Amino acid sequence: MRRGDSPGALARSVALSRQQRSAELTAELRPAGLAWRQNGHAVLAGPLARLAANCDRGFTVLADVWQAEPEEHAAMIELAGLERVDYLASFPHLATFPICLDPDEVNLKEFTGREPLDAGGAVRLTGTAPVREVLTPAACYHVYLHHQGESLEGPLHLTTRNTCFRREAYYEPLRRQWSFRMRELVCLGTRAEVAEFLASTTSMVDALCRELDLPVTWELATDPFFQPARNPKYLAQRLQPTKREALFGDLAIASTNLHEDHFGAAFDITRDGRPAVSGCVAFGIERWLYAVTRRHGADPAGWPDVTAAALRVVAGGAP
């Protein structure tokens, strides 16, 4: 902060800088298919949509090394299941809930009997139905709920993709969005099996970034807990780091996460008679678009083939 600058002035300066960066990026990538909604959602069309699909195919090439079974899940997840891992207590600031009107006819007539939106564009809600789901905050959560109660005879490798939703203090196109696409590779097994999966997949991600000429550095990280200093899970991550992020500049484009037996115990998934250990490797697809276009330019003719690069990585040696 410069001498004489107030915290409020600094915050306004940072916000203006983000707005300018967002406007410049959107203008630069508009011919390639980017449209930006100020409420935190990106539209991908044409070349940029094809690049997103190409990135995702590349990630599934890495998943194929493990013969990972694909899974497709809904865009929302039941809170009764997710609360087994204290999601709402840990991340209330990130949660987005699907809200429905109470179907009572009197309530619906009251809603339709007046203007549905106020002057600011907010819905004038009447009574709402009970909220039992949250929009998917991370793709892998569905996996543990789906496999609850299973006894594994060997390591289980899975891959899933979902549109995820996280409320943030601010949004920027391709970097930080309310809704975004996430591909995850997941392993459930013994600690040794999961450790091998994470180490080998991290090496493949590293090799993929080199093939694509994307300079990244791996750094220890923690999850964005609410009131972290008071959250024992945050403190545990600080004491025994279990999360690493691949940073392109200041932006995490991939992460590796060792959950120990947190999910296995919560969802009664066992391996060798004990709660299964789990780990995942996550890719934020829009963030990869940001990295590729910042490194290789806005012209699609200069973009690398991510799938072909992943195939080269796998051909060079599989775990």
Side-chain angles (χ1 to χ4, degrees):
M1 185 185 301
R2 295 173 302 179
R3 184 177 298 175
D5 282 350
S6 68
L10 181 61
R12 287 191 293 272
S13 175
V14 170
L16 286 172
S17 177
R18 289 182 185 133
Q19 292 171 8
Q20 182 178 0
R21 181 166 63 181
S22 296
E24 291 174 352
L25 181 68
T26 303
E28 182 181 350
L29 291 179
R30 186 175 293 114
L34 176 65
W36 177 241
R37 304 292 180 256
Q38 294 299 324
N39 60 350
H41 309 285
V43 178
L44 306 178
L48 210 55
R50 288 191 286 274
L51 178 60
N54 187 259
C55 287
D56 193 44
R57 285 196 298 273
F59 305 147
T60 59
V61 167
L62 304 188
D64 287 343
V65 170
W66 301 100
Q67 298 180 316
E69 285 293 321
E71 293 187 358
E72 295 285 340
H73 294 281
M76 60 184 72
I77 187 168
E78 300 90 344
L79 283 167
L82 201 54
E83 271 305 276
R84 296 183 191 177
V85 291
D86 298 324
Y87 174 78
L88 287 180
S90 296
F91 307 108
H93 54 306
L94 303 182
T96 302
F97 303 102
I99 301 292
C100 300
L101 293 172
D102 189 311
D104 178 77
E105 186 173 357
V106 173
N107 185 58
L108 295 178
K109 283 183 177 179
E110 181 184 353
F111 178 79
T112 58
R114 62 190 186 187
E115 288 295 324
L117 302 181
D118 66 19
V123 179
R124 299 178 188 271
L125 290 172
T126 54
T128 59
V131 176
R132 295 189 173 90
E133 293 85 19
V134 64
L135 296 183
T136 299
C140 70
Y141 282 140
H142 290 277
V143 168
Y144 313 116
L145 187 60
H146 182 63
H147 291 275
Q148 64 180 316
E150 292 187 9
S151 179
L152 306 178
E153 296 181 357
L156 179 63
H157 297 99
L158 305 161
T159 184
T160 187
R161 168 183 156 154
N162 214 316
T163 297
C164 298
F165 298 82
R166 294 182 191 171
R167 293 287 283 170
E168 301 277 8
Y170 64 91
Y171 301 110
E172 291 187 66
L174 305 185
R175 289 176 56 93
R176 186 176 297 271
Q177 302 182 178
W178 188 356
S179 65
F180 56 95
R181 289 85 169 173
M182 180 187 293
R183 165 67 65 180
E184 294 206 51
L185 283 59
V186 181
C187 176
L188 289 136
T190 65
R191 197 180 194 284
E193 290 164 345
V194 173
E196 178 190 5
F197 162 78
L198 290 175
S200 296
T201 307
T202 299
S203 295
M204 289 192 291
V205 175
D206 240 357
L208 177 60
C209 288
R210 289 194 297 272
E211 284 285 332
L212 297 172
D213 191 27
L214 296 179
V216 298
T217 57
W218 289 88
E219 294 189 7
L220 296 175
T222 57
D223 290 315
F225 291 100
F226 178 63
Q227 295 183 326
R230 301 181 181 180
N231 194 306
K233 296 185 180 67
Y234 170 80
L235 297 176
Q237 282 190 344
R238 291 293 302 272
L239 292 171
Q240 185 178 358
T242 58
K243 183 183 184 76
R244 297 176 67 211
E245 292 179 336
L247 298 180
F248 175 80
D250 63 346
L251 185 69
I253 62 174
S255 68
T256 66
N257 306 270
L258 173 62
H259 310 132
E260 298 292 352
D261 63 0
H262 182 58
F263 291 109
F267 294 99
D268 191 28
I269 305 170
T270 60
R271 171 81 171 100
D272 288 345
R274 304 178 64 181
V277 172
S278 65
C280 69
V281 179
F283 303 91
I285 293 176
E286 282 87 350
R287 290 186 173 194
W288 278 73
L289 302 185
Y290 178 87
V292 169
T293 58
R294 295 311 84 202
R295 186 64 172 172
H296 297 284
D299 183 357
W303 295 347
D305 186 333
V306 180
T307 301
L311 289 168
R312 291 194 296 272
V313 167
V314 170

